[in-house]
Amino acid sequence: MAATDSVAIVHLQPGDAAAALALSTEAQWNQNEADWRFFLASGIVFGIVERDVGLIATAALLPYAQGNAWISMVLVTASRQRRGLATRLVDACIEEATRQSRTAWLDATPAGAAVYGGLGFTPTGRMLRMRHAAAMATKVPLLAGDFEELVARDGRATGFDRRAMLQELCGRDGSRLVAQGGAIALIRDGRSARHVGPLLADDAASAARLLAAIVQSENVALLTDVNGDDHGFIDNLTASGWSAERPFQRMRFGRSNVTASAPAFAGAGPEYG
């Protein structure tokens, strides 16, 4: 990172991964260094660097196909919050998405949604993060999922292609792509818990059965981000030991240019959509 004054926005580089990870760790987010390295290599990460302090704020824009992009990693260190830094960085992401003729999407916390609404973002749906405590794995056998099936199902659920992102997530050490009875899911490492998603299935019952099998096959805490409007599915998971952790508001900046033709029972995470 080049030294700069307290107000300049800079483009972060792959070597900034450790400093960026310190911000998300301070916020107790689940992203790990592999997430940051992917965003720094494949997206555009804006940052604010304060002289004699270092990196104090970030926001990332991850391009997707069909003229779409995801905004995430909007972070400000605790001592520099409520100074408009996050808004400035999101504005930079919006400007870049507009320059590239892309529709921008994000998953916002309730507090963030109030701010983003004022910037022109439109609510499009709700997500709910759920957690399952660590358990003793019983080694329930799970079939390996087919990557091409994951890409195809994910494309139908989102309305655009995310092959490069999914390939990177699946290729990480510790990642598992599993399938069972009409459902397929990706499980990957996070900083403090394993993340399950995307989870695509023929129906809610198939999705719930695969999640139950995943719980039995893992021995660490699990997180998954489900459709916050699917109350029946949420009730099913709650009865199976999952607990609600935090809601997210999915939002869009710009005209919708996609049509989803299948449901996603869990997303790839608020940083990826």
Side-chain angles (χ1 to χ4, degrees):
M1 290 179 294
T4 186
D5 59 35
S6 61
V7 296
I9 293 177
V10 298
H11 284 200
L12 301 185
Q13 303 301 318
D16 296 317
L21 178 63
L23 283 180
S24 57
T25 300
E26 177 193 23
Q28 300 184 35
W29 288 8
N30 195 48
Q31 287 82 17
N32 57 22
E33 188 166 336
D35 292 310
W36 277 109
R37 291 195 179 280
F38 178 72
F39 275 91
L40 289 161
S42 301
I44 300 171
V45 183
F46 297 100
I48 295 177
V49 180
E50 191 172 271
R51 186 177 291 126
D52 300 327
V53 177
L55 184 65
I56 62 170
T58 61
L61 180 74
L62 183 62
Y64 283 140
Q66 287 85 43
N68 293 278
W70 210 265
I71 295 175
S72 63
M73 307 305 223
V74 181
L75 286 154
V76 179
T77 192
S79 64
R80 301 296 189 273
Q81 292 177 4
R82 301 186 184 280
R83 300 185 184 185
L85 300 182
T87 299
R88 291 193 58 218
L89 289 167
V90 172
D91 280 340
C93 290
I94 293 171
E95 289 173 8
E96 181 62 24
T98 301
R99 188 186 70 80
Q100 296 184 16
S101 300
R102 296 183 185 275
T103 295
W105 304 76
L106 56 75
D107 285 335
T109 63
V115 175
Y116 301 142
L119 298 178
F121 282 85
T122 301
T124 64
R126 294 186 296 172
M127 305 295 290
L128 179 65
R129 167 152 290 187
M130 304 192 75
R131 174 181 288 269
H132 199 290
M136 292 298 294
T138 56
K139 303 301 181 184
V140 172
L142 282 170
L143 296 175
D146 179 77
F147 178 70
E148 293 301 326
E149 179 186 356
L150 176 70
V151 172
R153 282 181 176 258
D154 185 75
R156 291 193 293 271
T158 61
F160 48 89
D161 183 87
R162 303 196 297 178
R163 174 182 293 271
M165 180 272 285
L166 294 170
Q167 187 169 35
E168 199 277 341
L169 294 184
C170 287
R172 292 181 187 175
D173 290 342
S175 290
R176 300 170 62 203
L177 181 59
V178 298
Q180 176 181 281
I184 187 169
L186 170 63
I187 313 161
R188 59 182 174 88
D189 284 342
R191 183 186 61 84
S192 61
R194 298 264 281 166
H195 189 274
V196 182
L199 168 60
L200 298 314
D202 294 339
D203 50 53
S206 299
R209 283 193 294 268
L210 179 55
L211 268 180
I214 289 171
V215 168
Q216 292 181 303
S217 70
E218 295 275 339
N219 61 0
V220 295
L222 297 171
L223 296 174
T224 192
D225 299 305
V226 303
N227 180 349
D229 295 314
D230 192 340
H231 301 294
F233 188 58
I234 292 169
D235 289 345
N236 189 327
L237 296 190
T238 300
S240 301
W242 292 83
S243 59
E245 190 167 272
R246 68 177 68 176
F248 294 99
Q249 177 69 64
R250 182 153 292 179
M251 308 184 81
R252 184 190 72 244
F253 185 91
R255 181 177 58 86
S256 177
N257 58 0
V258 297
T259 301
S261 59
F265 289 95
E271 68 271 46
Y272 297 107

